[in-house]
Amino acid sequence: MKVKRIFAPDMRQAMRRVREEIGPDAVIVSNHRVAGGVEIVVAREDEYESAQQELQRERERRREEQVRILTEQRARAVPRQSGLDSELERARLDIAKAREGVSRPEVSRNANRQLAEDDELQSILESLRARQRERAAAGLDEEPPRKKRSVAKISTMPLAEERGPEAGDTEDHLLIRNMQDEIHQLRAMLEQQMRSKAPEVPVSASAQAPRPVSPATEAAASGLKDQLERRFDRLGLGARLSRSLLASIEPGLAIDKAWRNALARLADSIPVVGEEMIERGGMLAFVGPTGVGKTTTIGKLAARYVLQHGSSSLALVTTDCFRIAAHEQLKTFGRILDVPVRVVDENHSLEEVLQSLKGKRLVLIDTAGMNAQDPAGQLQLEMLESVSVRIKKLLVLSCSSQRQLMESAWQTYSPLGLNGCVLSKMDESGSLGEALTLAVEKQMPIAYVADGQKIPDDIGLARRHDLVSRAVVTAQREGERSRADKDRLFRAG
């Protein structure tokens, strides 16, 4: 049985190597991020079970080795009685610092009170020294190794005031806890003493009053916001979102730094799912207008799932029985991936089809894209709302669509209770700001982004900073294209 580890800078390149080196029947046993990229463990589909068992045995061996190393390290760590001595030495240094503070002119008004506290600290220290001398006279400092281990164990317990003496406690254990208690009291007194010595700094009237803003500063801030607003407009962001981002810009910043800060705020405001929804399983319905790429998105995710988990736990469903041969593309995916495809029609309701597939780990549902005002479209919405099986709904939005069409799609399908969205056709769009604005304003988490027709490569998890970077690059590319078109028109004229 062959199990192969493959390293690659990202998952896309890793999957390409899997197909090249193992073939179409490869199954991913495990995958995780490592320094420099990702590591995946793959095997052939007929060897999947034995590969998992071998991987589990390897993990057990690593866990046992870690436990053995940790046990050896603990065995070598012999507790020492010098811990109390170091505490005492620390207390002596703190008392010396406190005495130094008493002699300072700025705290002379507190001298009498601090001297009294020093006397109390000194008495505690003398008590600790006397107990140490008693222990030395009784020979407690020369305990056998077994005694020292018990002392170390007691030292990790709560203080004497938090835990009363228990049966079996020896006199030296109680003595050590009392000494630790007194050391903590000593530290608390020293901290209080240090706080009392902190001088009060009066707040000047100039610091309290707000500084007047000069006309030049106001003009510079206004010019900065105008420049940023123009850049946001080129990204395609909505006016309300742009105003929200501009409101937090600090005046006086250089334009490049202000732009980076604004983009960082934009990234923070974008809601994303942040995990593979197909890994969690369940039933996922993809809704949206006609032509946004619902069926292609399902094909990509289905292929991605089959590469990792095989085809036995996946099923595809289509409710689109209105268009001629609408389900043929999904059936083609099913044949290629060896996955069953169920069609909802007048003889098989959606409820019946989903109940028959409850044994599957993942079910992907393709729906018809229609207008809510159309009777057939209203029937689709009612059918999705009426099923008793829990379905997660993802709205598929084409980034090449206008903002009004995206807004209309959200209004149509939001009554279903959307769990997120998929941004498709990013490679065909001249601006991503419209889709990002809708996601931010409606607080609709973005689950996946798709940017091509390749299956399963051209789809990935939505990540905030990647979306913002892609929006900026798209706007720059579109700006360069517009300038080139203008140049051609100018030369032709």
Side-chain angles (χ1 to χ4, degrees):
M1 192 273 298
K2 291 187 177 180
V3 177
K4 186 162 186 176
R5 294 181 183 272
I6 293 179
F7 299 89
D10 52 42
M11 183 59 73
R12 181 180 297 181
Q13 296 186 39
M15 299 305 296
R16 187 178 296 114
R17 287 190 56 190
V18 168
R19 291 193 296 272
E20 293 174 353
E21 299 180 18
I22 307 299
D25 58 343
V27 177
I28 295 181
V29 181
S30 71
N31 67 87
H32 60 279
R33 292 192 174 278
V34 296
V38 295
E39 177 197 57
I40 60 175
V41 179
V42 295
R44 298 190 182 278
E45 186 174 2
D46 55 352
E47 300 174 338
Y48 177 70
E49 296 296 334
S50 55
Q52 278 195 323
Q53 294 174 4
E54 180 176 326
L55 187 64
Q56 185 64 27
R57 287 194 296 269
E58 182 180 348
R59 288 174 178 167
E60 290 294 334
R61 286 196 298 270
R62 290 180 181 175
R63 191 178 297 112
E64 291 174 359
E65 180 65 18
Q66 291 175 354
V67 171
R68 183 185 65 79
I69 294 174
L70 183 59
T71 304
E72 292 178 354
Q73 290 176 347
R74 287 179 176 174
R76 289 195 297 267
V78 180
R80 299 178 180 177
Q81 185 64 27
S82 60
L84 287 176
D85 296 334
S86 62
E87 293 281 3
L88 290 173
E89 184 61 27
R90 218 175 281 121
R92 293 191 189 99
L93 293 174
D94 289 340
I95 289 176
K97 290 179 182 178
R99 284 178 171 171
E100 257 184 88
V102 172
S103 62
R104 293 177 183 172
E106 62 268 21
V107 292
S108 60
R109 60 183 180 274
N110 297 323
N112 292 333
R113 179 171 56 83
Q114 291 174 348
L115 286 173
E117 290 174 348
D118 285 348
D119 291 339
E120 188 176 354
L121 298 177
Q122 187 65 28
S123 65
I124 293 175
L125 186 59
E126 290 299 334
S127 173
L128 294 175
R129 288 174 178 168
R131 289 184 180 177
Q132 274 201 319
R133 287 195 293 270
E134 290 174 5
R135 290 175 56 80
L140 293 178
D141 287 341
E142 297 179 359
E143 292 175 329
R146 183 181 60 82
K147 280 282 188 180
K148 291 187 177 181
R149 283 195 294 273
S150 65
V151 169
K153 182 177 180 182
I154 290 294
S155 66
T156 63
M157 294 182 178
L159 298 178
E161 63 180 6
E162 300 172 359
R163 171 185 177 271
E166 298 177 356
D169 278 349
T170 60
E171 185 179 356
D172 58 336
H173 294 168
L174 294 175
L175 177 61
I176 291 173
R177 283 205 303 275
N178 289 335
M179 293 173 70
Q180 289 177 331
D181 190 13
E182 291 178 355
I183 288 173
H184 280 274
Q185 292 178 9
L186 181 66
R187 283 182 173 174
M189 293 176 65
L190 287 171
E191 289 175 0
Q192 183 180 0
Q193 199 174 32
M194 292 300 106
R195 285 195 296 269
S196 67
K197 285 189 279 185
E200 297 182 358
V201 181
V203 180
S204 64
S206 60
Q208 292 177 350
R211 294 183 178 180
V213 180
S214 65
T217 303
E218 287 184 352
S222 176
L224 176 64
K225 289 189 176 182
D226 288 344
Q227 294 182 65
L228 294 177
E229 191 170 4
R230 286 194 294 271
R231 293 190 181 188
F232 285 143
D233 186 60
R234 287 197 292 270
L235 290 183
L237 298 184
R240 182 166 44 177
L241 178 57
S242 296
R243 286 195 299 269
S244 173
L245 296 173
L246 290 172
S248 63
I249 299 299
E250 300 177 8
L253 290 179
I255 179 62
D256 291 340
K257 187 172 182 180
W259 178 236
R260 288 194 297 270
N261 291 351
L263 292 179
R265 284 209 65 209
L266 173 60
D268 292 339
S269 66
I270 298 174
V272 295
V273 173
E275 63 177 351
E276 284 275 10
M277 295 188 72
I278 58 174
E279 289 295 329
R280 297 183 63 181
M283 297 186 176
L284 301 181
F286 294 79
V287 299
T290 303
V292 294
K294 297 188 296 296
T295 306
T296 305
T297 298
I298 288 176
K300 293 175 182 177
L301 293 177
R304 190 170 180 161
Y305 182 87
V306 168
L307 281 172
Q308 296 185 8
H309 304 286
S311 59
S312 60
S313 58
L314 173 66
L316 305 180
V317 174
T318 178
T319 67
D320 192 354
C321 56
F322 301 97
R323 294 179 297 145
I324 299 175
H327 51 265
E328 287 302 323
Q329 184 181 4
L330 200 66
K331 284 190 172 182
T332 301
F333 286 142
R335 286 193 297 271
I336 294 173
L337 299 174
D338 193 22
V339 171
V341 178
R342 301 284 185 267
V343 179
V344 176
D345 52 24
E346 62 275 5
N347 299 320
H348 303 88
S349 68
L350 180 61
E351 178 75 23
E352 293 173 349
V353 170
L354 296 183
Q355 289 290 347
S356 68
L357 296 174
K358 290 184 73 172
K360 297 293 184 180
R361 184 170 179 268
L362 178 65
V363 178
L364 302 179
I365 306 167
D366 192 13
T367 62
M370 294 185 176
N371 194 320
Q373 283 70 37
D374 186 4
Q378 188 63 38
L379 180 64
Q380 283 272 300
L381 296 177
E382 292 174 357
M383 178 173 56
L384 289 170
E385 288 179 323
S386 62
V387 294
S388 60
V389 183
R390 183 172 181 269
I391 302 177
K392 298 176 185 176
K393 294 98 176 175
L394 293 178
L395 175 62
V396 181
L397 296 171
S398 170
C399 291
S400 60
S401 300
Q402 296 178 349
R403 171 67 191 273
Q404 291 85 351
L405 296 178
M406 295 184 192
E407 185 86 26
S408 175
W410 180 84
Q411 291 176 353
T412 299
Y413 294 100
S414 59
L416 293 175
L418 298 173
N419 299 95
C421 66
V422 177
L423 301 186
S424 65
K425 302 187 179 183
M426 295 182 71
D427 56 319
E428 300 177 13
S429 173
S431 170
L432 304 184
E434 291 82 3
L436 297 182
T437 300
L438 182 66
V440 172
E441 292 183 350
K442 307 302 181 184
Q443 282 301 290
M444 184 170 50
I446 305 173
Y448 295 98
V449 293
D451 57 357
Q453 297 295 321
K454 293 181 181 178
I455 298 177
D457 295 332
D458 293 338
I459 194 167
L461 278 179
R463 304 188 187 280
R464 292 184 176 93
H465 293 283
D466 291 345
L467 286 167
V468 173
S469 299
R470 185 70 178 265
V472 173
V473 171
T474 301
Q476 291 174 344
R477 185 177 63 237
E478 190 65 19
E480 292 172 358
R481 185 181 305 164
S482 299
R483 286 193 295 271
D485 292 342
K486 288 180 181 179
D487 291 342
R488 281 197 296 270
L489 289 173
F490 179 76
R491 286 195 296 270

